[in-house]
């Protein structure tokens, strides 16, 4: 891109946004301010970064909006460091060419623009893909985001989208925004640690940014900053174990999935009408939605429907909605593949107690790969973290760090079967179901006996 054109985009005076993680978000280009001011970006204020996690960590009310501005700020700091220390002086020297700055900044700011309501819940139930939607919002003529990006250059939206799709020719920008150690992950770990009030996600961001170095194939890390990188990997691992996989948040997420499942059934059977209509969800029930339909759904829309459905004549929907609004998470048991026969036994007992298992139980599989080296034949090959020694050689991180080696290539798997919590609370169970006390006790005892076999 023409550097003169970029200059013209600069604001007369720097603008700042206060931020609890980075102190200030610094805005220098009018295009960044304009992108933030679009309805598509403002929508991110209405999508919580961590979905149902706030039911477990009440501080975690922060939104995708603040995360996106944070990723922008980290990316900007990386660009500043690169200009200061590793500015390219000839086309193939492998150093940083600052003409790429605006592309990197826009991709950073917009990387999560396509997120759906309650983060991953919406994707799960309506089979949407937020990364695909992100690219559509950037490249479709119908959005304000697209119109603003086009002011730079008619091909600029495609260029920004290609960073998010990992196909941009400059791997330095791609790795800045999306790799195993990128501005996205660094921001969400620090931000989620801050807002959940936990310390697991903390690491030395300033040090990591200082030891980043561009080279012809991407970004490496100077050897004397290796321990800061190691600490980041361990922090991320801990956040998954302690926060992201938390069974109570996932038990709330399970209820939300079941609510949407039930509401879809009611819609298909003409029972979601009058006061209980959910017009913004109809295109998704019908599996025929446009980009603007997608942008018309956020956490607030869903929350409003839930409040209405508290009084819905359908007892199943009403029950589920009350569990969600009054925070009564489903309980769960961890299981592995060979234990499906035990799950079936639990389902039988749940049905016997008068619950439809399709709307009161859920199998859920979560996994995370804390770190992996590059495997060209893998389904999703990872860009490995390269440590640069003093003589300029590159060594893959796990060869240098025995702590990281212990986590390398090892999926952290959390497979759970969710069920109503009264199945582990005898009195609640007896009051809630319509069976005789004796029958209730018998089912309850059998359930506990089965749980012990896992
Ligand atoms: Ni993100």
């Amino acid at each position: 891109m023409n550097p003169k054109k970029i200059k013209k985009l600069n604001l007369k005076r720097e603008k700042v946004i206060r931020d609890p993680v980075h102190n200030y978000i610094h805005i220098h280009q009018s295009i960044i301010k304009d992108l933030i001011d679009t309805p598509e970006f403002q929508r991110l204020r209405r999508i919580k970064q961590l979905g149902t996690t706030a039911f477990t960590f009440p501080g975690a009310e922060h939104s995708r909006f603040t995360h996106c501005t944070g990723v922008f700020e980290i990316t900007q700091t990386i660009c500043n460091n690169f200009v200061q220390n590793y500015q390219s002086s000839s086309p193939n020297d492998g150093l940083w060419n600052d003409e790429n700055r605006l592309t990197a900044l826009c991709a950073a700011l917009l990387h999560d623009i396509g997120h759906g309501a309650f983060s991953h819940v919406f994707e799960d139930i309506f089979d949407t893909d937020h990364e695909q939607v992100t690219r559509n919002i950037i490249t479709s003529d119908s959005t304000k985001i697209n119109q603003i990006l086009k002011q730079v250059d008619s091909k600029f939206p495609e260029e920004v989208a290609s960073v998010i799709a990992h196909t941009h020719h400059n791997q330095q920008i791609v790795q800045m925004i999306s790799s195993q150690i990128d501005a996205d992950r660094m921001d969400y770990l620090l931000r989620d640690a801050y807002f959940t009030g936990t310390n697991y996600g903390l690491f030395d961001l300033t040090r990591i940014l200082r030891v980043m170095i561009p080279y012809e194939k991407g970004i490496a890390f100077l050897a004397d900053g290796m321990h800061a990188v190691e600490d980041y990997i361990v922090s991320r691992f801990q956040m998954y174990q302690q926060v992201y996989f938390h069974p109570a948040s996932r038990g709330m997420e399970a209820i939300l999935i079941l609510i949407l499942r039930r509401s879809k059934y009611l819609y298909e059977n003409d029972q979601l009408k009058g006061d209980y209509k959910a017009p913004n969800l109809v295109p998704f029930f019908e599996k025929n939605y446009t980009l603007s339909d997608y942008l018309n759904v956020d956490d607030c829309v869903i929350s409003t429907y839930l409040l209405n459905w508290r009084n819905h004549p359908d007892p199943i929907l009403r029950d589920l909605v009350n569990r969600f609004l009054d925070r009564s998470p489903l309980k769960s048991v961890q299981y592995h593949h060979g234990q499906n026969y035990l799950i079936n036994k639990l389902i039988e007992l749940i049905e016997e107690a008068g619950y439809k298992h399709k709307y009161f139980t859920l199998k859920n599989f979560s996994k995370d790969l804390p770190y992996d080296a590059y495997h060209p034949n893998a389904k999703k090959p990872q860009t490995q973290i390269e440590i640069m020694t003093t003589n300029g050689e590159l060594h893959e991180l796990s060869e240098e760090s025995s702590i990281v080696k212990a986590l390398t290539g090892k999926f952290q798997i959390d497979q759970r079967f969710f069920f109503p919590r009264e199945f582990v609370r005898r009195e609640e169970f007896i009051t809630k179901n319509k069976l005789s006390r004796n029958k209730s006790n018998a089912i309850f005892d059998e359930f506990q006996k089965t749980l012990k076999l896992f």
Side-chain angles (χ1 to χ4, degrees):
M1 200 186 319
N2 184 339
K4 264 191 206 146
K5 212 165 180 180
I6 299 177
K7 260 225 162 98
K8 243 180 38 200
L9 294 168
N10 284 352
L11 288 165
K12 280 205 187 83
R13 196 165 171 266
E14 169 187 77
K15 285 204 182 300
V16 289
I17 305 174
R18 276 277 192 191
D19 180 76
V21 176
H22 307 297
N23 195 17
Y24 281 111
I25 311 291
H26 301 84
I27 300 172
H28 298 277
Q29 297 88 359
S30 57
I31 180 179
I32 298 298
K33 186 185 162 292
D34 294 345
L35 287 171
I36 292 174
D37 287 341
T38 57
E40 295 92 12
F41 198 85
Q42 292 293 320
R43 169 182 173 271
L44 299 178
R45 291 182 187 273
R46 300 187 297 275
I47 297 194
K48 274 191 207 142
Q49 174 74 8
L50 291 182
T52 55
T53 298
F55 284 106
T56 318
F57 299 92
E61 293 280 345
H62 55 304
S63 69
R64 290 267 159 203
F65 181 96
T66 54
H67 164 61
C68 287
T69 56
V71 176
F72 161 82
E73 180 64 21
I74 293 179
T75 304
Q76 180 161 255
T77 311
I78 298 171
C79 292
N80 291 346
N81 281 346
F82 284 1
V83 166
Q84 196 71 39
N85 301 304
Y86 308 109
Q87 174 127 265
S88 168
S89 52
S90 69
N92 294 318
D93 61 7
L95 296 179
W96 174 249
N97 180 345
D98 207 41
E99 283 176 27
N100 290 312
R101 175 185 291 252
L102 199 61
T103 311
L105 294 182
C106 291
L109 189 70
L110 301 176
H111 79 284
D112 271 348
I113 192 92
H115 259 281
F118 289 97
S119 289
H120 299 284
V121 172
F122 202 76
E123 279 188 291
D124 255 30
I125 196 88
F126 294 118
D127 206 19
T128 55
D129 172 358
H130 76 268
E131 287 180 19
Q132 182 59 48
V133 180
T134 293
R135 294 195 290 274
N136 290 350
I137 293 173
I138 293 171
T139 56
S140 154
D141 286 341
S142 64
T143 65
K144 271 265 174 332
I145 294 274
N146 178 269
Q147 288 163 25
I148 286 163
L149 292 173
K150 266 195 202 141
Q151 289 170 10
V152 177
D153 184 299
S154 63
K155 295 202 186 85
F156 192 55
E158 288 293 342
E159 193 185 344
V160 172
S162 75
V163 177
I164 292 162
H166 297 189
T167 53
H168 194 282
H169 61 89
N170 185 317
Q171 280 302 302
Q172 290 167 356
I173 320 180
V174 173
Q175 287 180 25
M176 241 181 237
I177 318 287
S178 178
S179 62
Q180 297 197 80
I181 180 161
D182 60 14
D184 178 27
R185 290 182 177 192
M186 289 195 274
D187 183 79
Y188 76 61
L189 289 177
L190 293 174
R191 195 167 296 279
D192 297 346
Y194 178 89
F195 283 100
T196 53
T198 60
N199 290 326
Y200 316 109
L202 299 183
F203 57 91
D204 192 348
L205 174 69
T206 318
R207 181 84 190 130
I208 290 181
L209 298 185
R210 281 188 63 80
V211 298
M212 277 183 149
I213 173 166
Y215 74 107
E216 72 274 17
K217 287 195 188 132
I219 292 174
F221 296 81
L222 298 173
D224 58 358
M226 208 266 293
H227 294 296
V229 175
E230 187 177 63
D231 190 35
Y232 153 89
I233 299 280
V234 174
S235 291
R236 187 170 175 282
F237 168 77
Q238 300 269 27
M239 278 299 273
Y240 271 84
Q241 299 301 313
Q242 304 290 334
V243 177
Y244 303 140
F245 284 171
H246 197 289
S249 322
R250 290 181 50 216
M252 290 302 289
E253 200 173 274
I255 300 178
L256 201 50
I257 291 172
L258 296 171
I259 289 173
L260 292 173
R261 185 183 282 177
R262 184 63 181 174
S263 63
K264 184 165 184 278
Y265 167 85
L266 293 172
Y267 173 80
E268 285 162 356
N269 289 275
D270 205 22
Q271 292 177 60
L272 213 62
K273 48 191 182 184
D275 290 348
Y276 308 114
K277 267 193 196 155
N280 296 23
L281 290 179
V282 167
F284 299 92
F285 292 147
E286 304 262 355
K287 279 197 167 165
N288 181 16
Y289 56 89
T290 62
L291 191 52
S292 105
D293 294 330
Y294 187 92
L295 292 167
N296 280 334
V297 181
D298 54 44
D299 293 8
C300 297
V301 170
I302 305 247
S303 301
T304 309
Y305 294 157
L306 296 187
L307 280 168
N308 283 341
W309 292 342
R310 247 200 217 273
N311 303 311
H312 196 286
D314 177 62
I316 294 181
L317 185 65
R318 219 170 45 228
D319 181 347
L320 290 170
V321 165
N322 286 330
R323 284 175 200 262
F324 188 81
L325 293 174
D326 304 333
R327 195 198 179 277
S328 167
L330 297 187
K331 289 282 177 198
S332 60
V333 61
Q334 256 183 328
Y335 72 104
H336 58 76
H337 190 62
Q339 291 173 322
N340 270 318
Y341 72 100
L342 289 173
I343 303 282
N344 291 340
K345 175 76 187 158
L346 294 181
I347 289 176
E348 253 170 52
L349 292 165
I350 287 166
E351 287 275 336
E352 210 181 319
Y355 295 75
K356 282 204 163 78
H357 81 272
K358 189 176 173 191
Y359 299 112
F360 287 97
T361 70
L362 193 74
K363 288 178 183 170
N364 182 288
F365 180 82
S366 297
K367 68 171 182 185
D368 175 57
L369 184 57
Y371 173 71
D372 204 4
Y374 175 69
H375 300 296
N377 298 327
K379 227 181 181 178
K380 273 190 175 173
Q382 308 271 352
T383 333
Q384 61 192 23
I385 298 179
E386 303 283 6
I387 300 297
M388 188 180 279
T389 60
T390 36
N391 57 12
E393 275 175 36
L394 294 175
H395 293 221
E396 187 272 311
L397 175 64
S398 69
E399 288 169 21
E400 301 293 302
S401 159
S402 45
I403 294 181
V404 173
K405 199 178 178 76
L407 295 172
T408 298
K410 298 200 176 84
F411 275 101
Q412 304 300 309
I413 287 168
D414 192 24
Q415 183 162 238
R416 284 175 183 274
F417 174 71
F418 289 90
F419 53 84
R421 72 168 182 187
E422 56 269 31
F423 281 82
V424 288
R425 299 182 181 197
R426 190 184 295 270
E427 279 316 306
E428 207 177 309
F429 181 67
I430 294 171
T431 335
K432 238 187 148 161
N433 70 52
K434 296 187 181 79
L435 309 167
S436 71
R437 200 173 178 95
N438 278 350
K439 178 87 178 150
S440 283
N441 275 323
I443 294 177
F444 189 85
D445 290 337
E446 191 62 27
F447 200 90
Q448 310 315 305
K449 227 170 83 190
T450 313
L451 279 183
K452 288 207 179 88
L453 299 174
F454 280 89

